[in-house]
Amino acid sequence: GAGVSQSPSNKVTEKGKDVELRCDPISGHTALYWYRQRLGQGLEFLIYFQGNSAPDKSGLPSDRFSAERTGESVSTLTIQRTQQEDSAVYLCASSLIPGSNEQFFGPGTRLTVL
Amino acid sequence: SQELEQSPQSLIVQEGKNLTINCTSSKTLYGLYWYKQKYGEGLIFLMMLQKGGEEKSHEKITAKLDEKKQQSSLHITASQPSHAGIYLCGADEDETSYDKVIFGPGTSLSVIP
């Protein structure tokens, strides 16, 4: 596909369950970002992958959150033992480095923790 | 670390009116991005500014980066309902552009027909 894709588009889970969110970046984009957007709030940076460098995990809110990326392709964001405050839209973005830091965003995954 | 502030937090205007949204940084802006997020949809890139004093336009939206490169303004002329959404400014954390972009909290715009 031409753009960033994310799956699932919606996820409803029970408190305490683990969830896995997937992001497929644009082919050739070396940088990949995960953000969280709570209802009515701005983007909250979670984690950033750039090529083969160690990821910047400074935005992960707790050790229940982790993310992996295979080379310069798919990334998964895993939330363990979900809590109600984890409910949000999780957005993934990719950008082409070097050259431009314009980020292309996916449609997001809406996570609802009951 | 760099922080971005946006003002106003929300804005309601009558269709046809002009409006301005501001983005202010605590540090020098090396790359400033404006995005629009329509309610319930993803983010759309509007434009990028890099040089002090630079101004870019896209249709009825104009963005400018001030000479000191610490503030950017987004101006919409003759607003339309299609302009409604959340406007986010983002900035490169440093001049190498090899690092992450940080975002402001967003400005919610509503346009009343």
Side-chain angles (χ1 to χ4, degrees):
Chain A
V4 177
S5 60
Q6 292 185 244
S7 61
S9 56
N10 277 285
K11 177 72 177 178
V12 180
T13 190
E14 292 180 350
K15 178 181 173 181
K17 300 284 188 183
D18 298 351
V19 295
E20 194 171 276
L21 313 180
R22 177 187 169 108
C23 172
D24 282 88
I26 294 174
S27 178
H29 280 195
T30 60
L32 186 147
Y33 310 77
W34 281 100
Y35 296 92
R36 178 170 69 177
Q37 187 174 34
R38 289 191 168 119
L39 185 65
Q41 299 186 22
L43 293 179
E44 178 185 4
F45 167 78
L46 296 178
I47 188 169
Y48 162 67
F49 295 90
Q50 169 52 36
N52 295 320
S53 302
D56 179 348
K57 303 180 182 180
S58 59
L60 294 179
S62 77
D63 58 8
R64 296 187 295 105
F65 287 73
S66 63
E68 292 184 350
R69 187 181 186 193
T70 308
E72 293 183 353
S73 60
V74 172
S75 175
T76 54
L77 177 70
T78 301
I79 308 173
Q80 295 177 308
R81 305 180 303 281
T82 52
Q83 303 294 313
Q84 288 184 333
E85 64 261 27
D86 299 335
S87 297
V89 174
Y90 289 82
L91 289 161
C92 171
S94 71
S95 68
L96 182 64
I97 299 292
S100 170
N101 215 354
E102 174 189 345
Q103 295 184 28
F104 295 82
F105 282 81
T109 293
R110 181 173 298 278
L111 175 66
T112 303
V113 182
L114 302 176
Chain B
S1 63
Q2 187 171 41
E3 290 185 0
L4 295 178
E5 294 181 354
Q6 287 186 238
S7 62
Q9 185 177 25
S10 64
L11 196 54
I12 302 173
V13 300
Q14 200 77 37
E15 181 177 359
K17 296 293 186 183
N18 303 334
L19 63 106
T20 299
I21 298 169
N22 293 303
C23 175
T24 303
S25 171
S26 57
K27 295 183 178 181
T28 299
L29 293 163
Y30 295 103
L32 189 286
Y33 308 82
W34 282 101
Y35 286 84
K36 177 186 173 184
Q37 184 177 32
K38 296 198 99 172
Y39 297 112
E41 299 181 17
L43 278 78
I44 301 168
F45 173 78
L46 296 176
M47 57 193 87
M48 174 187 176
L49 304 165
Q50 284 187 301
K51 300 176 183 177
E54 185 175 10
E55 183 174 310
K56 287 187 177 178
S57 293
H58 175 68
E59 297 179 346
K60 292 185 178 180
I61 301 176
T62 300
K64 181 186 283 189
L65 182 61
D66 74 353
E67 291 289 345
K68 293 184 178 179
K69 295 174 64 175
Q70 284 197 262
Q71 184 172 6
S72 176
S73 58
L74 184 87
H75 185 77
I76 299 178
T77 303
S79 59
Q80 300 170 2
S82 60
H83 288 128
I86 299 172
Y87 289 81
L88 290 151
C89 65
D92 291 328
E93 196 166 62
D94 65 41
E95 61 187 315
T96 66
S97 80
Y98 275 75
D99 212 332
K100 63 181 183 284
V101 170
I102 58 169
F103 284 88
T107 294
S108 175
L109 172 64
S110 299
V111 180
I112 301 171

